[in-house]
Each structure stands twice: as C-alpha cells, then as structure tokens.
Amino acid sequence: MTNFAGQHLEEMADMRSARKCKIVLLCSVIAVLIMIYYGTTHVINQDYLFGTINIFCAIVLAGNLFYLRVNPSVNISDVVLSSVLLLQTFLLLFYGEHIADRLLWLYPICAAIIFACEFRTGFILSTSLFVLTAVICLFTNMATIPAHFALDRFLVSLLAICVLSNFSAYYYAKVVSYIQSLHKEGIEDLAYRDKLTGLANRWSFESWALGKLEQVKDNDTLTAMVFLDIDNFKSINDTYGHEIGDRVLQHFANRLKNNIRTKDRKTQRNDYSIARFAGDEFVLLLYGVNSVEDLNRILGRICHLFEDSYQSTQRINKLTVSAGVAIYPDDADSMLELTRCADKAMYSAKHSGKNQYRYYNPDLAKSVDGEDELDLAKITPLIKAKTNDS
C-alpha cells in the first residue's frame, strides 16, 4: 500500500486540475451540442436573434475547448464556460417563453458552474445565480414564468442543488488541498532535507546560500560561513556502533535547530541556513549578525552544545565540536571560496586542540600545514577593524 501511494502521489496531488479539465471539457461539449441544436431550430423558425446568440455561444465554447486542449494546466476555460452559462440563464429567465419548462435548465447550469470552477468561484457564481433567479421570479414581473409552473418548489429544489453541490465541492477541495500539502512536504523532504537529521542537505543549502549571499552583500551586518565537525566521531562509531553514531548526529542536529535561528526575520519563512554536508560535518550560514561580539557568543554556544554530555542507551564520554569561520565578503566573495575558507579554519581548530572555533585568515593554509596554533586574539581585532571600515 505504501509503494502504491508513493507511485501515485504526484497523480493524486494533481487531481484538482485534472478533474477541472475533464468537467469543463464534458460540460463544454454538451453545451456546444445543445446550443447548436437550439440555434439551428431558432434559425429554421426564423427567430434569427436567438439563433445567432446560441450559435455564437457554441462557437465561443468550441474555441474554449481548443484553448483547453492547448493549455491544460493554466487556463481560464472554467470562467469562459461559466460566463456563457450565465448568459443562457439570463436568456431563459427573460426571453425563453417559447421553451416549455425552460427553468428546469437552471439545475444543470448551476451544477456545472459549481463543479467546473474552483470552490470559491463556483460558490460565488452559483449563489449569485440563485439569488438573482429568486429575486426576479418572486419580486418582479420581468421574468416570463409559465402559469402551470410550481415556482416555490422550483426555488426550493434549486436551493437544494446549490447547497448540496457546494457542500460536495468544498470537501473535495479540502481533501485535495491536504493531499497537495502532503505531496509538497514529501517532495521537499526527499529533495531538500537530509534523511537522518532533517536538516537541509548540501545541494539545498548551497542553492539557498547563493541567493542569500547576494541578498546580504551590501548589508552592514556580519555574514559568516561556519563549518562544524564532531570531534573523534569515528571512534564513537567504532566503539558503540553506527546506530549510536546516528543518534549522536540526530541529537546534535536537534541542538543546532533549537539554538540557531532558522527563520528569516523579515518574511518569517524557514530557511536552509543549517545543513549536514556529509558524515559528521555540518555547515551554517549566519547572517544578520550585528557585531563580532554577537558572532563570538553564537560560536561559543555552538561549541558547548554537548557540554552536558550525551546520554543514549550507553554512556558516551563528553562530546566536543570544532568550528571554522569565514567572513563574507572579507575572506571570500564566492560560495566556493567561502566554503573552502571555513573548512580550512575548522581543521585549524582541530589541530589547535579541538572543542573550539577558529577564524580564517590569509595565513591559515600555512598554519594548518605546519600544525601551528592559530591565535584567536590576533584575528578578532582584524575582523573588528574590517567591520568598522565597512
């Protein structure tokens, strides 16, 4: 059953537009045939005005059918169909005295409008049609009503058709919207999220970060790429097994999500600023940071996420994190270079004793190769100076 639902999820999510096209297609074909018939009958009876109107409506609907076939996904065919049907309603009410029991045509017209349109549009048009019909029939002498016609029964039955059809259309639209939301979430999870941790994957992070870097390029606030690596993670996998290692990764990912802002302050939309790159490597893009002091506090908090140890089915020694930081655009002005700089800074933190963060600077490559310790006290003033200059 799961495989079946997965295979047909996209088809289920697209059922609203498919259903709309089929209903519009069916109603249009039936309406074209009926209007051609009545148009021809009127012309034969030398009623050229109504014959011309019906033939013109048939031509419009035939063109609408062609448009629907050419543009099945995005179209206004339902609006065109509804407009033609409303015009026919107007003609039936005011000028259809030669058609026996002509008001009975309002039943299929009302149902067709409701089911062919989106729920809100169908509800407004069908309600307007009923109100207009009731007002004209009950309170004016404009409509030509057959003497034998039971008007009260007609209006009650027309109201029942409107209510039941709109009720059905509402719950159908609600179900389809729910299926579409599930489809969207499922696609997002598969394409943009890391299956184990629920964080963004590398592809979605890089795609999102490219746009964000361009957006914050001229901002006065700090933007930093942060590379994170859990210290001695390989020994955890070797000692306790990959199942415990996966739980450690999930625990760390949850800590990151709970401690780092993942919503844009302006739009309040979730972003992809936290990602799992590979294995035990994670990456963050911190943007909108007001000062170096604020950035240092964030980095310090990240490095102590495991400070209270991690308790699983087995006790694991205290875990630590090493972090590397590259400032945009001071250290690098491209996504590729910024990632490379942050990665090198992270390895510098590991060579310097782990459980700490290090900033990147132009001499970092030499420091890593020579296994020299990088002095944070020398780097922070440089970053402050660059921030003040900007």
Side-chain angles (χ1 to χ4, degrees):
M1 183 58 121
T2 303
N3 291 335
F4 175 83
Q7 293 170 1
H8 295 275
L9 186 58
E10 185 175 357
E11 180 182 347
M12 293 169 65
D14 197 43
M15 67 171 62
R16 176 184 291 176
S17 59
R19 169 184 173 272
K20 172 184 171 181
C21 289
K22 291 179 180 178
I23 291 179
V24 172
L25 179 65
L26 177 63
C27 292
S28 296
V29 169
I30 295 174
V32 167
L33 296 176
I34 292 175
M35 289 175 191
I36 289 176
Y37 169 77
Y38 279 109
T40 304
T41 303
H42 287 314
V43 171
I44 293 175
N45 294 331
Q46 297 183 348
D47 190 355
Y48 297 112
L49 176 61
F50 292 105
T52 302
I53 292 176
N54 278 287
I55 292 175
F56 174 77
C57 289
I59 293 173
V60 170
L61 289 182
N64 192 45
L65 282 172
F66 177 77
Y67 175 79
L68 180 62
R69 299 293 294 179
V70 175
N71 303 281
S73 56
V74 180
N75 58 71
I76 55 171
S77 56
D78 56 335
V79 178
V80 175
L81 174 63
S82 299
S83 300
V84 172
L85 293 180
L86 289 174
L87 173 62
Q88 291 295 319
T89 300
F90 179 82
L91 295 175
L92 288 170
L93 286 172
F94 291 101
Y95 306 107
E97 63 275 3
H98 53 281
I99 303 177
D101 295 333
R102 62 191 176 279
L103 294 183
L104 296 179
W105 283 105
L106 297 186
Y107 293 139
I109 288 175
C110 181
I113 290 175
I114 292 173
F115 290 115
C117 297
E118 297 293 335
F119 167 71
R120 185 173 298 178
T121 304
F123 175 78
I124 293 173
L125 292 179
S126 61
T127 302
S128 302
L129 184 150
F130 172 77
V131 172
L132 178 64
T133 302
V135 169
I136 291 175
C137 292
L138 293 176
F139 302 107
T140 72
N141 296 321
M142 298 174 63
T144 54
I145 308 299
H148 67 279
F149 201 82
L151 187 60
D152 54 343
R153 295 181 181 178
F154 163 71
L155 291 177
V156 170
S157 58
L158 182 61
L159 176 62
I161 289 290
C162 287
V163 171
L164 292 175
S165 299
N166 278 299
F167 188 81
S168 174
Y170 169 74
Y171 279 100
Y172 178 85
K174 193 172 182 180
V175 169
V176 171
S177 296
Y178 177 69
I179 292 174
Q180 287 178 324
S181 66
L182 291 178
H183 174 257
K184 183 179 179 180
E185 291 176 3
I187 291 297
E188 181 178 0
D189 288 341
L190 289 173
Y192 303 110
R193 300 287 180 181
D194 174 63
K195 185 177 180 180
L196 178 64
T197 62
L199 299 176
N201 58 30
R202 181 169 183 167
W203 179 85
S204 60
F205 172 82
E206 290 179 343
S207 300
W208 171 85
L210 283 172
K212 178 57 69 174
L213 291 177
E214 187 66 27
Q215 180 182 336
V216 303
K217 189 173 184 179
D218 299 323
N219 289 3
D220 295 332
T221 55
L222 284 174
T223 301
M225 180 79 75
V226 182
F227 246 74
L228 303 172
D229 187 89
I230 300 176
D231 297 326
N232 302 317
F233 183 75
K234 185 177 182 302
S235 64
I236 295 174
N237 276 334
D238 294 341
T239 304
Y240 301 102
H242 288 279
E243 181 181 352
I244 299 300
D246 289 346
R247 293 187 185 182
V248 171
L249 295 176
Q250 291 171 338
H251 174 74
F252 181 61
N254 290 332
R255 287 291 189 90
L256 279 177
K257 287 188 288 188
N258 293 333
N259 284 272
I260 303 298
R261 173 173 55 87
T262 56
K263 280 189 177 182
D264 189 277
R265 289 193 178 100
K266 294 182 179 180
T267 64
Q268 289 301 306
R269 294 180 179 178
N270 290 327
D271 57 34
Y272 295 106
S273 56
I274 307 176
R276 181 190 178 201
F277 252 39
D280 62 325
E281 289 187 350
F282 297 80
V283 64
L284 290 76
L285 184 67
L286 302 176
Y287 59 94
V289 182
N290 294 322
S291 65
V292 175
E293 288 76 14
D294 290 341
L295 181 58
N296 286 334
R297 279 193 289 269
I298 295 171
L299 295 171
R301 190 167 69 244
I302 291 172
C303 288
H304 292 86
L305 287 179
F306 282 135
E307 196 168 53
D308 57 350
S309 299
Y310 172 70
Q311 183 68 40
S312 180
T313 53
Q314 302 183 46
R315 186 73 177 180
I316 299 178
N317 293 330
K318 181 178 177 180
L319 298 172
T320 59
V321 178
S322 297
V325 188
I327 305 297
Y328 175 82
D330 297 327
D331 293 330
D333 58 1
S334 69
M335 180 68 188
L336 182 61
E337 281 300 304
L338 195 66
T339 303
R340 184 185 65 83
C341 292
D343 188 42
K344 285 184 174 294
M346 182 267 292
Y347 278 104
S348 176
K350 282 191 172 295
H351 282 281
S352 300
K354 303 178 180 179
N355 194 29
Q356 56 187 303
Y357 61 92
R358 285 288 183 268
Y359 286 92
Y360 175 84
N361 73 359
D363 298 325
L364 186 58
K366 297 179 181 178
S367 299
V368 172
D369 294 339
E371 299 186 2
D372 296 327
E373 183 176 351
L374 191 63
D375 191 354
L376 180 61
K378 295 179 181 179
I379 297 176
T380 303
L382 294 176
I383 299 174
K384 289 183 180 180
K386 290 181 181 180
T387 305
N388 293 332
D389 291 342
S390 61

